[in-house]
Amino acid sequence: MDILSHGLWGSIIFGRKNKRSFWLGFTFGIAPDFLSFGILLIERLISSVITGKWQIGTGKPDLLSIPDYVSTLYNITHSFVIFIIVFVIVALYYKRPIWEMLAWPFHIFLDLFTHSTEFFPTPYLWPFPFTRVDGIPWSTPIIFFTNVFFLILIYSVYV
């Protein structure tokens, strides 16, 4: 699923208490993708400005053009195991759970069914062995437009 949709789902489901809660839900909703692909995007933007050559394309990139660190960060940020560890540590630190953080595992859940095994399948149990789920890519029109429809519907009701 696209990063903006993840943020919007995270904020409407887990961040409806107030503005701060909304943005916290949005942030945790986009965090798994931002902390992996966002770093690559920023790196390529800076390189494009420095070299004068545009290095950002549209569509699905060639897997060989993606640095290994992106896959490592993707594994970490798209794992329910890692989420649980971080959630518990944060809850212990603040002496209460931060419920907006649940936008993070919701992101992982959505990706399970909207990523195919051909391009960044969701490593939901990393670092443990897991069966890869072959979902329907979010860019498929029926998934994409259904997602947009429900986001518009839900936001028109709650905002």
Side-chain angles (χ1 to χ4, degrees):
M1 184 168 289
D2 67 288
I3 193 168
L4 179 61
S5 292
H6 279 303
L8 292 172
W9 281 114
S11 56
I12 199 69
I13 294 172
F14 302 104
R16 292 197 340 235
K17 287 191 283 188
N18 54 45
K19 243 184 213 186
R20 180 182 175 281
S21 179
F22 177 91
W23 287 110
L24 207 52
F26 186 88
T27 301
F28 278 104
I30 68 169
D33 286 344
F34 186 77
L35 293 173
S36 50
F37 288 105
I39 294 169
L40 177 62
L41 175 65
I42 291 167
E43 176 186 307
R44 290 196 174 164
L45 280 171
I46 291 169
S47 180
S48 295
V49 169
I50 292 170
T51 65
K53 293 181 182 176
W54 190 248
Q55 296 184 23
I56 300 167
T58 58
K60 184 169 61 173
D62 178 13
L63 286 172
L64 296 175
S65 72
I66 300 173
D68 289 340
Y69 75 84
V70 173
S71 293
T72 301
L73 292 172
Y74 187 84
N75 288 341
I76 293 167
T77 61
H78 285 75
S79 169
F80 289 127
V81 175
I82 301 300
F83 165 74
I84 290 167
I85 292 167
V86 173
F87 187 78
V88 168
I89 290 169
V90 170
L92 290 171
Y93 179 80
Y94 286 103
K95 297 181 176 61
R96 67 177 183 84
I98 307 298
W99 296 115
E100 293 87 352
M101 287 181 72
L102 294 176
W104 176 2
F106 189 68
H107 175 126
I108 298 168
F109 174 77
L110 289 174
D111 276 0
L112 268 173
F113 304 103
T114 59
H115 283 220
S116 74
T117 54
E118 294 175 16
F119 189 77
F120 280 89
T122 307
Y124 59 99
L125 292 178
W126 185 90
F128 302 110
F130 58 94
T131 303
R132 298 195 184 271
V133 175
D134 193 14
I136 302 169
W138 68 268
S139 56
T140 304
I142 188 71
I143 301 296
F144 179 81
F145 289 113
T146 301
N147 172 56
V148 171
F149 171 79
F150 280 110
L151 280 171
I152 291 169
L153 179 69
I154 291 170
Y155 269 83
S156 66
V157 169
Y158 285 107
V159 176

